[in-house]
């Protein structure tokens, strides 16, 4: 019982230091959790961006208008469910699509009259998420002359996300180190506050294990409180933060939603454990007799 | 029980506080350690209480040379000690009763809780601490804290009691109560070493005196006077001195 009473001494003597330390623990934990969560959540986004392609399959001029629908079906069959959007773009539609940006060019092409189909190719535009290289598959479809792909159109975004994911890991590690360093320094301060009594206990025959109990409990209380702050903040705020992030850009629409309860429990456990460990091992030195 | 052999103690190149001190005490002896301020009384008692190690020479307690004992043996020796340090070293967060009980808890041998309660109550009563029993030690006066420190040392019924100026802040009534408690412990078989300035106490409770002067120890025969002269422990032998 007296060991527990002793453990409360840092709170009695430096209440605001303990409280602000627990707040700092909570803040560092939630920042680290946020970064790690983003790192994990961006994984599916990056995969989707890496695999998302727009394929342009040019139709052979020999393909008649009647065969166009058949060719489209063959393409759909070949690519399966990976192809989200498959559409045929004829000469007329092509001109419509580029009219706004290139009006002069459209006028010149329209002036070609019946020769227009020979100059402006027909093509099938396929948008989808493809794990493998689909160009070879498309080339094997009868009536397809050639295939282009937009495979690397998100390269810059993907690179940025990769960099951010790596940076998140580094920052989270830094936050964890800062957390432990701060807790160990706090434990040392607490140990100074307890040192006179610990030396009395040591002299009167207390075991090494008993001597660890008060600083361990003092660290535990700060860490647990910090973990509780972080858990509460996560539980209350994570869903809305996720929703705001997703609304920032369609690119982030696949951002994985972080688990609410399990992460909150992990934060509580991490705070408690780091507090207890730093309390137990953050002694300023051997207890003097 | 206690043996000091050629013990010298000095700090950071300062003159020797203790110089070639020899002393041997048998079980059941009661000795005053006298001397002026800075004579080395507290240093001698800290050495005996295992708080310090000598610069040279050896200190043996219960047959163990403290220079060579293992930490486990040192812990066992300390559990057989009742020490009243000059600085008292109470735990201010705990109550008087808890500070006393703590000594018993840490004594090693399991004391049944019923006996522990009796011992604590007895120590509290003997030293006039009944009214202060549930008061935190941070709230005590110097004299009250001294009595708690003595009670804490006596409650575990140690084989060796070392008290450094235990009556320095006491009124005569409490000084007498405290000395009575120490003499009773001595009668029960404990060896008692008391450092004091209080010549009146030495005169009234006649015991052997070890006098420190200039770092050297000299032994005087039983102090002449009145008081507890008929006590069975009034004339123990101090077997070695410089």
């Amino acid at each position: 019982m007296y060991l527990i009473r002793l453990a409360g001494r840092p709170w009695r003597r430096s209440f605001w230091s303990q409280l602000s330390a627990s707040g700092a623990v909570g803040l560092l934990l939630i920042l680290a959790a946020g970064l790690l969560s983003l790192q994990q959540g961006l994984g599916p986004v990056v995969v989707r961006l890496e695999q998302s392609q727009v394929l342009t399959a040019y139709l052979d001029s020999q393909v008649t208008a009647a065969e166009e629908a058949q060719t489209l079906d063959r393409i759909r069959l070949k690519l399966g469910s990976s192809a989200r959007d498959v559409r045929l773009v004829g000469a007329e539609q092509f001109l419509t699509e580029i009219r706004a940006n290139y009006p002069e060019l459209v006028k010149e092409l329209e002036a070609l009259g019946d020769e227009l189909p020979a100059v402006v190719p027909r093509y099938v535009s396929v948008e989808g998420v493809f794990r493998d290289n689909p160009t070879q598959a498309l080339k094997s479809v009868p009536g397809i002359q050639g295939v282009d792909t937009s495979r690397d159109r998100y390269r810059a975004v993907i690179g940025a996300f990769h960099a951010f994911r790596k940076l998140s890991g580094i920052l989270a590690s830094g936050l964890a180190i800062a957390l432990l360093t701060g807790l160990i320094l706090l434990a040392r301060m607490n140990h100074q506050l307890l040192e006179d009594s610990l030396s009395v206990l040591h002299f009167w025959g207390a075991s090494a294990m008993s001597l660890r109990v008060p600083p361990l409990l003092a660290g535990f209380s700060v860490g647990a409180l910090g973990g509780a702050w972080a858990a509460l903040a996560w539980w209350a705020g994570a869903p809305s933060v996720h929703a705001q992030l997703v609304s920032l850009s369609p690119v982030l629409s696949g951002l994985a939603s972080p688990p609410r309860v399990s992460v909150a429990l992990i934060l509580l456990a991490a705070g408690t454990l780091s507090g207890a460990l730093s309390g137990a091992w953050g002694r300023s030195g051997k207890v003097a007799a | 029980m206690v043996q000091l052999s050629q013990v010298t103690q000095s700090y950071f190149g300062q003159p020797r506080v203790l110089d070639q001190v020899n002393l041997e005490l048998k079980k059941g002896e009661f000795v005053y350690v006298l001397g002026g301020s800075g004579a080395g009384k507290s240093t001698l008692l800290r050495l005996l209480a295992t708080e310090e190690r000598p610069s040279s020479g050896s200190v043996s307690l219960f047959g163990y040379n403290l220079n060579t004992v293992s930490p486990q043996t040192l812990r066992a020796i300390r559990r057989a000690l009742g020490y009243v340090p000059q600085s008292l070293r109470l735990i201010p967060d705990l109550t008087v009763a808890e500070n006393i009980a703590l000594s018993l808890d840490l004594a090693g041998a399991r004391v049944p809780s019923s006996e522990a309660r009796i011992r604590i109550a007895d120590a509290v009563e003997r030293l006039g601490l009944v009214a202060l029993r549930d008061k935190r030690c941070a709230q005590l006066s110097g004299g009250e804290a001294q009595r708690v420190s003595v009670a804490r040392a006596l409650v575990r019924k140690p084989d060796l009691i070392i008290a450094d100026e235990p009556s320095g802040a006491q009124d005569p009534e409490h000084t007498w109560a405290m000395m009575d408690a120490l003499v009773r412990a001595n009668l029960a078989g404990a060896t008692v070493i008391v450092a004091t300035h209080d010549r009146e106490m030495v005169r009234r409770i006649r015991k052997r005196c070890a006098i420190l002067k200039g770092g050297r120890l000299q032994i005087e025969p039983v102090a002449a006077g009145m008081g507890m002269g008929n006590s069975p422990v009034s004339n123990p032998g101090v077997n070695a001195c410089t």
Side-chain angles (χ1 to χ4, degrees):
Chain A
M1 190 62 197
Y2 53 83
L3 294 176
I4 295 171
R5 186 90 59 82
L6 274 182
R9 186 191 282 184
W11 282 95
R12 290 192 292 276
R13 294 208 181 162
S14 60
F15 175 79
W16 292 109
S17 295
Q18 309 297 319
L19 192 68
S20 61
S22 73
V25 168
L27 185 66
L28 289 172
L29 278 174
I30 199 143
L31 284 174
L35 284 169
L36 289 175
S37 171
L38 265 180
Q39 189 193 39
Q40 295 300 310
L42 281 174
V45 175
V46 169
V47 168
R48 186 173 59 79
L49 293 178
E50 279 175 337
Q51 294 175 351
S52 174
Q53 295 177 51
V54 177
L55 302 165
T56 307
Y58 298 99
L59 296 186
D60 199 316
S61 57
Q62 306 301 319
V63 176
T64 62
E67 292 169 334
E68 282 175 354
Q70 206 177 0
T71 307
L72 277 179
D73 289 341
R74 284 190 185 127
I75 289 172
R76 284 196 186 96
L77 276 174
K78 202 78 177 175
L79 299 177
S81 60
S82 300
R84 279 208 307 265
D85 184 27
V86 181
R87 63 193 176 94
L88 177 72
V89 179
E92 298 299 326
Q93 195 179 346
F94 177 75
L95 293 181
T96 307
E97 285 182 2
I98 68 170
R99 189 181 301 279
N101 293 328
Y102 308 100
E104 295 302 319
L105 176 64
V106 170
K107 277 180 191 167
E108 285 176 23
L109 289 171
E110 282 174 338
L112 291 173
D114 293 341
E115 293 175 21
L116 178 65
V119 177
V120 179
R122 290 168 296 162
Y123 62 92
V124 178
S125 175
V126 183
E127 194 174 341
V129 176
F130 304 101
R131 286 210 175 85
D132 307 317
N133 186 357
T135 51
Q136 290 305 321
L138 275 184
K139 278 179 184 171
S140 67
V141 174
I144 297 298
Q145 196 177 36
V147 180
D148 282 344
T149 173
S150 67
R151 184 185 184 82
D152 295 329
R153 66 177 169 162
Y154 290 121
R155 180 183 284 179
V157 180
I158 291 167
F161 280 175
H162 273 307
F164 180 75
R165 291 187 75 201
K166 279 185 184 166
L167 194 64
S168 296
I170 293 167
L171 285 174
S173 307
L175 289 172
I177 291 168
L179 172 71
L180 281 176
T181 306
L183 279 171
I184 286 171
L185 287 174
L186 180 78
R188 285 178 175 246
M189 185 192 87
N190 287 347
H191 194 265
Q192 296 283 338
L193 289 174
L194 290 167
E195 195 160 24
D196 59 327
S197 297
L198 293 180
S199 74
V200 171
L201 294 177
H202 182 49
F203 182 83
W204 287 97
S207 66
M209 191 61 78
S210 303
L211 294 174
R212 281 189 189 278
V213 171
L216 184 146
L217 288 179
F220 170 89
S221 62
V222 171
L225 186 61
W229 292 130
L232 189 66
W234 182 270
W235 184 80
S240 65
V241 171
H242 176 258
Q244 284 175 24
L245 281 175
V246 168
S247 69
L248 287 176
S249 164
V251 173
L252 292 172
S253 61
L255 188 70
S257 178
R260 194 177 179 189
V261 176
S262 59
V263 173
L265 289 175
I266 288 170
L267 286 172
L268 179 62
T272 305
L273 193 67
S274 55
L277 288 179
S278 59
W281 278 289
R283 297 193 303 165
S284 56
K286 243 182 148 179
V287 176
Chain B
M1 171 67 84
V2 177
Q3 188 170 31
L4 273 72
S5 179
Q6 298 290 311
V7 167
T8 296
Q9 185 72 322
S10 59
Y11 302 104
F12 309 113
Q14 299 293 312
R16 292 174 175 179
V17 182
L18 298 177
D19 188 10
Q20 304 283 306
V21 169
N22 293 297
L23 176 67
E24 188 177 332
L25 300 178
K26 287 194 165 59
K27 184 172 168 56
E29 293 190 43
F30 191 126
V31 177
Y32 290 116
V33 177
L34 305 175
S37 290
K41 299 189 298 294
S42 292
T43 302
L44 178 65
L45 265 60
R46 280 200 299 273
L47 286 169
L48 290 169
T50 74
E51 277 200 301
E52 289 183 16
R53 297 229 168 148
S55 305
S56 66
S58 67
V59 179
S60 296
L61 296 181
F62 310 110
Y64 292 99
N65 184 341
L66 298 183
N67 290 343
T68 56
V69 291
S70 66
Q72 288 76 18
T73 309
L74 183 63
R75 207 167 126 206
I77 289 171
R78 283 174 170 173
R79 284 176 164 176
L81 289 181
Y83 180 41
V84 183
Q86 199 169 27
S87 56
L88 305 180
R89 297 176 69 182
L90 300 174
I91 297 181
D93 312 64
L94 305 184
T95 64
V96 167
E98 286 169 336
N99 263 283
I100 296 168
L102 178 146
S103 158
L104 211 49
D105 281 353
L106 300 174
R110 281 254 169 240
V111 179
S113 56
S114 55
E115 192 192 329
R117 275 198 297 275
I118 291 168
R119 281 204 212 175
I120 293 164
D122 185 52
V124 163
E125 193 178 341
R126 275 188 195 290
L127 290 153
L129 296 167
V130 175
L132 306 172
R133 194 188 156 90
D134 297 321
K135 207 170 177 181
R136 290 200 175 193
C137 285
Q139 300 168 303
L140 300 179
S141 70
E144 290 166 343
Q146 264 183 342
R147 290 185 341 252
V148 177
S149 186
V150 172
R152 182 180 62 180
L154 294 178
V155 76
R156 55 164 62 175
K157 294 188 175 172
D159 296 323
L160 175 61
I161 298 168
I162 300 163
D164 193 356
E165 306 271 8
S167 61
Q170 301 299 325
D171 55 43
E173 185 190 341
H174 284 121
T175 299
W176 186 253
M178 188 180 289
M179 289 311 295
D180 179 59
L182 288 171
V183 169
R184 278 173 190 274
N186 179 233
L187 283 168
T191 305
V192 179
I193 303 168
V194 177
T196 183
H197 277 302
D198 191 343
R199 285 280 175 180
E200 177 61 15
M201 184 172 78
V202 174
R203 196 180 64 77
R204 290 181 60 154
I205 305 170
R206 297 184 303 140
K207 300 291 175 189
R208 280 281 188 185
C209 296
I211 301 174
L212 273 167
K213 199 170 182 182
R216 312 286 281 197
L217 190 72
Q218 62 188 70
I219 303 299
E220 278 190 0
V222 177
M226 51 189 188
M228 301 176 75
N230 295 328
S231 159
V233 293
S234 62
N235 194 17
V238 176
N239 299 324
C241 60
T242 53

